[in-house]
Amino acid sequence: QVQLEESGGGLVQPGGSLRLSCAASGSIFSINAAGWYRQAPGKQRELVAGIATGGRTNYPDSVKGRFTTSRDNAKNTVYLQMNSLKPEDTAVYYCYIRVYSVAGTKDYWGQGTQVTVSS
């Protein structure tokens, strides 16, 4: 059984920073592609960061230069560093990791963590 646990959300003032973590646990052989999505009230879920197995990253224009995703394969963990946060970044953030485990290769999702940017 593979589980993802997200942490690091919270309330921050505009211009502030937060770091989200997403750790996979269970009978894991390796983690592959991973990424972060967010969903604000009344809006569709959108991709905010992706990271390939080899470490190549991609970001939409809305967060490029402010958000950085990284990974620690030894810890089966991915991170999202968010700087210069804006009120429009307020959303529930979800991670996903493609995991190779005893159950095969599957995408797993975190439970979501609330990020609120407000003064």
Side-chain angles (χ1 to χ4, degrees):
Q1 183 94 13
V2 175
Q3 292 184 325
L4 299 191
E5 182 173 353
E6 290 187 51
S7 60
L11 173 64
V12 63
Q13 292 187 340
S17 298
L18 282 175
R19 188 191 194 208
L20 307 183
S21 298
C22 179
S25 62
S27 300
I28 297 170
F29 297 136
S30 65
I31 61 171
N32 301 328
W36 297 85
Y37 283 76
R38 67 185 179 189
Q39 187 164 21
K43 295 188 177 181
Q44 288 188 332
R45 187 175 293 194
E46 63 171 342
L47 177 71
V48 295
I51 183 165
T53 303
R56 183 174 181 177
T57 57
N58 64 282
Y59 309 93
D61 289 343
S62 58
V63 306
K64 196 172 292 183
R66 300 188 298 122
F67 289 13
T68 303
T69 188
S70 60
R71 59 195 294 151
D72 185 335
N73 292 333
K75 296 182 179 180
N76 295 327
T77 300
V78 294
Y79 305 96
L80 183 66
Q81 178 68 42
M82 303 184 293
N83 299 328
S84 303
L85 283 161
K86 305 175 181 180
E88 51 263 44
D89 294 318
T90 296
V92 177
Y93 283 71
Y94 300 90
C95 66
Y96 82 89
I97 303 178
R98 181 160 294 168
V99 177
Y100 176 44
S101 72
V102 294
T105 300
K106 296 181 181 179
D107 289 348
Y108 293 87
W109 288 84
Q111 78 278 14
T113 186
Q114 177 69 46
V115 171
T116 302
V117 185
S118 175
S119 55

